[in-house]
C-alpha cells in the first residue's frame, strides 16, 4: 500500500476498528514521509458472487446496484440530508454483504438478496423498511404502507 498523497510506502497503522462482526475493518494510517493521515476500509471481496435474476439470467454481483437500490428507496423517505443518507446506505450495504457472505453460497438469487435487505431493515431501520418496501412494490406497496402508517 502506498500513501495517496506522496506515494511513500512508509505507513503506520495508528488505529483500527472492526465492524459487522469483523467482516469490515477500518484502519487509520499515517504516512511517515509526509505526515498525512487517512483511513482505509478493508472488506471481503464479493466480486466472484453470481446473482440469479428473475429472468434466470446470471450476472456478477455489483455492490453499486445494491447500494443504489437502498439509497433510492431511502431518498423517498424522510431522510433529506444527503450526506447522512449516503453514510447510512453504506452502513446498510455492508450489513447486507455480511449477511450474503454468511449464506456461504457462490450463487444467490436477487430475490434472496432482497429478502436479506428487508430482514435487516425491518429489524434495525423500521422507517426505512417501509419506504424500501413501497419503492419496490410500486403503487400497491405505497398504498399499503400509507395504510400501515395511518394505523400507527
Ligand atoms: Zn505520504
Amino acid at each position: 500500500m502506498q500513501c495517496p498523497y506522496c506515494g511513500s510506502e512508509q505507513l503506520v497503522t495508528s488505529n483500527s476498528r472492526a465492524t459487522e462482526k469483523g467482516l469490515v475493518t477500518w484502519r487509520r494510517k499515517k504516512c511517515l514521509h509526509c505526515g498525512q493521515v487517512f483511513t482505509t476500509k478493508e472488506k471481503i471481496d464479493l466480486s466472484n458472487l453470481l446473482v440469479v435474476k428473475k429472468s434466470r439470467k446470471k450476472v456478477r454481483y455489483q455492490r453499486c446496484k445494491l447500494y443504489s437500490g437502498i439509497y433510492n428507496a431511502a431518498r423517498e423517505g424522510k431522510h433529506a440530508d444527503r450526506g447522512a443518507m449516503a453514510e447510512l446506505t453504506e452502513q446498510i450495504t455492508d450489513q447486507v454483504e455480511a449477511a450474503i457472505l454468511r449464506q456461504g453460497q457462490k450463487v444467490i438469487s436477487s430475490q434472496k438478496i432482497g429478502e436479506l435487505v428487508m430482514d435487516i431493515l425491518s429489524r434495525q431501520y423500521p422507517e426505512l423498511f417501509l419506504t424500501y418496501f413501497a419503492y419496490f412494490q410500486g403503487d400497491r406497496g405505497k398504498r399499503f404502507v400509507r395504510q400501515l402508517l395511518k394505523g400507527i
Side-chain angles (χ1 to χ4, degrees), residues 3-8 10-11 30-36 38:
C3 168
Y5 298 95
C6 73
S8 165
Q10 289 177 282
L11 305 172
K30 186 175 178 168
C31 175
L32 294 176
H33 184 73
C34 72
Q36 288 280 6
F38 56 96

Side-chain angles (χ1 to χ4, degrees), residues 25-82:
T25 305
W26 295 90
R27 291 184 207 283
R28 197 129 190 82
K29 302 225 178 199
K30 186 175 178 168
C31 175
L32 294 176
H33 184 73
C34 72
Q36 288 280 6
V37 175
F38 56 96
T39 306
T40 61
K41 188 180 182 185
E42 193 177 274
K43 54 174 25 192
I44 297 194
D45 182 21
L46 283 176
S47 61
N48 285 324
L49 183 76
L50 286 177
V51 179
V52 185
K53 313 209 353 168
K54 250 187 197 166
S55 61
R56 296 187 172 236
K57 203 178 146 196
K58 281 183 190 167
V59 294
R60 210 159 274 287
Y61 169 78
Q62 280 181 291
R63 179 185 168 93
C64 59
K65 283 192 182 163
L66 177 61
Y67 180 94
S68 61
I70 297 169
Y71 187 87
N72 287 335
R75 206 180 45 187
E76 301 238 315
K78 292 175 193 161
H79 305 269
D81 181 343
R82 280 196 190 173

